[in-house]
């Protein structure tokens, strides 16, 4: 019965995600609308001009246009190059084997098999063999190979150009959203460590499932921030969050995460202490919340509380080593933000 009960929950979660992204304020919603508009424009041009195989322009838009600039440019270049080479290869194969049906069938089989082989390795080679297969397949159906190859090249170039133009007309630059992803990252770790510290004062079994959920949320936030930082390196810099700044932030948050994992392991161990952490937890949560706010406003943070005097454990204990790590990672984040974010009025 478990799979049956999980299915509605999964469907509900999927619809909740869809509803959350039905707005242009989210990256996914913005990209979905941009893709729909550019694909519709490509189809309208194909229908209005009577292209030989107009659907290829629309298919190219759907394949090339991505949520980020670097992937859109790279995908477009690979598809254009691969299509040009593949069209010439397919036309040559169709010309050489036009008198032998078996030869055309063999060429089509070889091309589609090669396309499947290289699909996961390189999109450019995949485009070469897929285009060659299409040209040969249409030759088998009686369509002339040379006009087919020319149309494939022309309409692919048109679709790739429309995809790039659509992105540049309504871009989603990583630099405009990366600070928000890092703010969410710090907030996710704030919630996680706050729950862990609260668990130290709980003599019962606590909420193990809740802690795992917060841990997963922090891990997902780290993945999102790392992906945003990688995209940032492929773009022209448009704000205080530079690729180097993002790398330093990720390194500092990794230290924070390491201390949190050690604290989580201590809580699950038989030697776990039972100790009140209220003052330290509140101060640490306040400090991390202030750092997240600084990222959102892109201004240096307000002074954070002095955390070392509030550490709950005696020096030399395993818990003290962990809280030292939490404090040092938080202080490092504070120092990075003060160094890299522009001052008020700057």
């Amino acid at each position: 019965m478990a799979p049956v009960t999980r299915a509605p929950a999964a469907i509900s979660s999927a619809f909740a995600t869809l509803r959350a992204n039905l707005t242009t304020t989210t990256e996914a919603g913005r990209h979905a609308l941009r893709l729909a508009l550019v694909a519709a424009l490509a189809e309208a041009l194909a229908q209005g001009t009577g292209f030989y195989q107009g659907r290829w322009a629309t298919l190219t838009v759907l394949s090339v246009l991505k949520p980020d600039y670097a992937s859109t440019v790279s995908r477009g270049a690979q598809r254009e190059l691969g299509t040009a080479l593949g069209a010439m290869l397919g036309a040559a194969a169709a010309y050489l084997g036009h008198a032998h049906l078996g030869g055309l069938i063999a060429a089509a089989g070889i091309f589609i098999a090669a396309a499947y082989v290289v699909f996961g390795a390189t999109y450019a080679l995949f485009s070469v063999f897929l285009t060659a297969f299409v040209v040969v397949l249409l030759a088998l159906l009686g369509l002339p190979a040379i006009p087919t190859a020319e149309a494939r090249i022309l309409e692919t170039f048109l679709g790739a150009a429309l995809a790039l133009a659509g992105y540049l007309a309504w871009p989603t630059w990583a630099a405009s959203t990366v600070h928000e992803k890092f703010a969410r990252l710090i907030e996710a770790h704030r919630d996680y460590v706050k729950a862990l510290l609260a668990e130290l004062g709980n003599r019962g079994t606590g909420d193990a499932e809740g802690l795992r959920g917060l841990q997963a949320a922090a891990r997902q936030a780290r993945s999102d921030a790392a992906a945003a930082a990688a995209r940032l390196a492929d773009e022209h810099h448009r704000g205080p969050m530079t690729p180097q700044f993002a790398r330093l932030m990720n390194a500092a948050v990794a230290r924070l995460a390491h201390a949190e994992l050690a604290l989580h392991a201590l809580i699950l161990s038989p030697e776990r202490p039972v100790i009140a952490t209220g003052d330290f937890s509140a101060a640490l949560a306040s400090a991390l919340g202030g750092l997240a706010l600084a990222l959102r406003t892109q201004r240096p943070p307000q002074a954070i509380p002095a955390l070392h005097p509030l550490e709950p454990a005696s020096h030399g204990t395993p818990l003290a080593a962990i809280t030292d790590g939490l404090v040092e990672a938080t202080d490092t984040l504070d120092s990075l933000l003060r160094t890299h974010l522009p001052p008020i009025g700057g």
Side-chain angles (χ1 to χ4, degrees), residues 164-240:
L164 181 58
Y167 188 93
L168 293 176
W170 196 18
T172 306
W173 301 115
S176 65
T177 60
V178 67
H179 60 281
E180 175 62 26
K181 285 184 170 60
F182 273 96
R184 293 177 186 172
L185 170 64
I186 292 178
E187 287 174 340
H189 281 279
R190 176 200 61 191
D191 296 341
Y192 180 36
V193 74
K194 186 177 179 181
L196 289 171
L197 290 170
E199 187 66 20
L200 285 176
N202 182 5
R203 294 181 180 274
T205 57
D207 184 11
E209 187 65 29
L211 290 178
R212 283 195 295 270
L214 291 171
Q215 182 187 50
R219 186 181 297 115
Q220 181 61 53
R222 288 201 304 277
S223 298
D224 292 343
R231 286 175 50 187
L232 188 66
D234 295 322
E235 298 177 358
H236 301 295
H237 302 159
R238 291 178 169 78

Side-chain angles (χ1 to χ4, degrees), residues 71-292:
S71 296
T72 299
V73 172
S74 172
R75 191 88 163 184
Q78 290 185 67
R79 188 172 179 92
E80 289 173 358
L81 177 62
T83 296
L85 295 176
M88 290 186 287
L89 178 62
Y95 176 77
L96 294 175
H98 71 280
H100 304 284
L101 182 62
L104 289 178
I105 295 174
I110 291 171
F111 290 147
I112 195 60
Y116 275 106
V117 168
V118 302
F119 176 73
T122 166
Y123 185 71
L125 276 179
F126 171 73
S127 297
V128 169
F129 292 120
L130 181 64
T131 301
F133 166 74
V134 169
V135 172
V136 173
L137 179 64
L138 293 180
L140 278 169
L141 297 176
L143 296 179
I146 299 300
T148 298
E150 292 174 345
R152 180 79 177 191
I153 294 172
L154 172 64
E155 292 164 27
T156 296
F157 273 62
L158 173 63
L162 287 174
L164 181 58
Y167 188 93
L168 293 176
W170 196 18
T172 306
W173 301 115
S176 65
T177 60
V178 67
H179 60 281
E180 175 62 26
K181 285 184 170 60
F182 273 96
R184 293 177 186 172
L185 170 64
I186 292 178
E187 287 174 340
H189 281 279
R190 176 200 61 191
D191 296 341
Y192 180 36
V193 74
K194 186 177 179 181
L196 289 171
L197 290 170
E199 187 66 20
L200 285 176
N202 182 5
R203 294 181 180 274
T205 57
D207 184 11
E209 187 65 29
L211 290 178
R212 283 195 295 270
L214 291 171
Q215 182 187 50
R219 186 181 297 115
Q220 181 61 53
R222 288 201 304 277
S223 298
D224 292 343
R231 286 175 50 187
L232 188 66
D234 295 322
E235 298 177 358
H236 301 295
H237 302 159
R238 291 178 169 78
M241 184 67 81
T242 63
Q244 181 187 13
F245 182 18
R247 286 193 296 270
L248 292 171
M249 287 288 294
N250 273 327
V253 173
R255 292 172 58 190
L256 181 64
H258 181 77
E260 289 168 346
L261 291 175
L263 181 56
H264 200 155
L266 180 63
I267 289 171
L268 296 177
S269 71
E271 294 79 19
R272 59 162 286 180
V274 179
I275 185 171
T277 60
D279 292 342
F280 177 70
S281 178
L284 182 61
S286 174
L288 291 173
L291 299 181

